[in-house]
Amino acid sequence: PVPSAVTTPGSSKWQDETQEDKDILIQEFSSLPKEEVLKKVRDLQNFAYQLGSEEAREMTRGKYLNILQSDSPKRDYITS
């Protein structure tokens, strides 16, 4: 699970975050005890690892489905 104070990179809030939102987030993190900051960092590392694992599975799936080959025609499965 993603820490509550952090949005995922794919979310629209990530891109729409204002400077005020960033300042609030910095203030929140700076007021946390060291152990809580370390826990949030671990949570982010675990989340990044999980995303990487999912991406690797999808890339492997794409490879086996032959959808990642750039030199093959895209419509070779359609017969006329």
Side-chain angles (χ1 to χ4, degrees):
V2 178
S4 61
V6 179
T7 59
T8 59
S11 71
S12 61
K13 184 179 178 191
W14 178 267
Q15 293 145 348
D16 297 336
E17 199 170 37
T18 64
Q19 185 61 42
E20 183 181 339
D21 293 334
K22 293 174 186 177
D23 291 341
I24 291 170
L25 192 58
I26 290 170
Q27 179 63 34
E28 179 183 330
F29 282 133
S30 66
S31 65
L32 290 175
K34 177 182 166 183
E35 295 78 20
E36 285 296 315
V37 173
L38 291 174
K39 182 184 181 313
K40 288 191 179 283
V41 169
R42 277 192 306 274
D43 289 345
L44 285 172
Q45 289 173 331
N46 290 339
F47 183 67
Y49 179 81
Q50 182 181 24
L51 284 177
S53 295
E54 290 174 17
E55 180 70 14
R57 275 194 306 276
E58 291 300 319
M59 293 298 289
T60 301
R61 183 174 176 235
K63 177 183 171 186
Y64 289 126
L65 292 173
N66 292 322
I67 59 174
L68 299 176
Q69 295 177 348
S70 60
D71 22 306
S72 66
K74 300 294 183 205
R75 296 183 184 205
D76 63 348
Y77 58 90
I78 298 176
T79 58
S80 299

